[in-house]
Amino acid sequence: MNIKSICLGPISANCYAFCDEKGEGAVVDPGDYNVQLEKVIEECGIKTLKYIICTHSHFDHVSGVGRLKEKHPDAQVVVGKEDAPALSDAVLSASADFGLVFYPCYADKTVVDNDVLIIGNILLKVVATPGHTKGSIVLHCEEEKIAFTGDTIFKESAGRTDFYGGSHVALMASLQKIKRFASDTILLCGHGENTTVENEIKYNPYVL
C-alpha cells in the first residue's frame, strides 16, 4: 500500500491518499479541496479513485468531499451509516458551531461494523467506533497493520464527545476495539502525529 498524507482545512485535519500497486485507490477525510490535494493524489500513484471515505461527518473532515467528487465523479463517497445525514447538515456536521462556510455532500455508500471495502488488492475492515460521533468508523487493514482512525483516537489522547451524537461511554468502548489490534499496528490519526497500538496501550490514559 502506498500512502501519502496532507493537512487540510481550518483545523488542520489529516487527509490520507492511498492505493495498491496498480493504482486503484481512495482518499480518507478530505477536509478541504485544493491543488495540493490533487498533487498528493498524483504523487501517491492513484490512477483510479474508487472511494472518498469519511471516518466521520464533522466539517473539518468532509468539507472537501463534494469538490473532490466533482473532479473524480466515479469515486463513491463512503461514510458510517449513522453519520450519513450530517454530510448535508451544517448543524449536525458542527460547521454551524464555528460559523464556517458549509460544503454539503452526500453518501453513495454507507457502511456498518464488519463491512469490508476492497480497493484493488487492499482489504479495509470497517470497525464501528461510536463516541466522537454516532457513526464514527475506523478502517483497519490487518495485512498491512495500518488503521485510519479519524478522531476516535489520537496520540496519547482521544476524540472529544461534546458535539452532537457524542458519547464518552461509547468512545471508551470503541477504544477497547482498537486496543485489540496487533500491537505494532500504525494508527493514522485524524489530527496530529501517527502512533501505534503499543504506544497507546502504554501511554494513553483513555486506553489503559
Side-chain angles (χ1 to χ4, degrees):
M1 183 192 299
N2 190 27
I3 304 174
K4 296 284 185 180
S5 65
I6 182 174
C7 285
L8 294 172
I11 313 181
S12 297
N14 292 327
C15 171
Y16 300 95
F18 68 91
C19 65
D20 73 351
E21 70 277 1
K22 293 184 179 179
E24 184 165 276
V27 169
V28 178
D29 288 351
D32 197 1
Y33 177 78
N34 53 34
V35 294
Q36 285 77 25
L37 175 55
E38 286 294 342
K39 185 177 180 181
V40 166
I41 291 170
E42 180 181 356
E43 290 176 347
C44 182
I46 294 175
K47 298 176 182 177
T48 302
L49 186 62
K50 185 174 183 179
Y51 292 129
I52 302 167
I53 309 172
C54 309
T55 61
H56 63 291
S57 57
H58 282 159
F59 72 94
D60 55 320
H61 292 257
V62 306
S63 289
V65 169
R67 289 168 288 169
L68 180 59
K69 187 172 172 66
E70 286 180 3
K71 183 71 173 180
H72 303 270
D74 292 332
Q76 288 191 301
V77 177
V78 180
V79 68
K81 184 177 181 179
E82 293 282 354
D83 270 20
L87 294 180
S88 57
D89 190 306
V91 174
L92 299 183
S93 68
S95 178
D97 291 337
F98 292 83
L100 298 171
V101 175
F102 180 59
Y103 298 95
C105 56
Y106 303 90
D108 297 302
K109 180 180 179 69
T110 60
V111 292
V112 296
D113 197 38
N114 292 318
D115 280 349
V116 175
L117 297 174
I118 302 173
I119 302 101
N121 62 9
I122 299 167
L123 300 181
L124 290 181
K125 182 179 179 181
V126 175
V127 181
T129 54
H132 183 61
T133 65
K134 287 185 178 180
S136 288
I137 57 174
V138 165
L139 305 159
H140 183 209
C141 182
E142 186 173 5
E143 183 178 359
E144 299 276 350
K145 294 186 177 180
I146 288 171
F148 301 93
T149 68
D151 287 2
T152 295
I153 191 170
F154 305 123
K155 184 176 181 180
E156 298 167 25
S157 187
R160 58 192 291 182
T161 58
D162 56 336
F163 289 123
Y164 175 83
S167 166
H168 180 77
V169 172
L171 183 64
M172 294 303 101
S174 293
L175 294 176
Q176 294 305 305
K177 293 183 179 182
I178 296 172
K179 186 177 180 179
R180 292 194 289 268
F181 296 168
S183 63
D184 55 347
T185 300
I186 298 171
L187 305 179
L188 304 176
C189 304
H191 297 273
E193 299 177 62
N194 299 332
T195 184
T196 64
V197 170
E198 181 179 24
N199 186 80
E200 299 316 294
I201 290 173
K202 288 182 178 178
Y203 302 114
N204 191 327
Y206 297 99
V207 175
L208 295 174

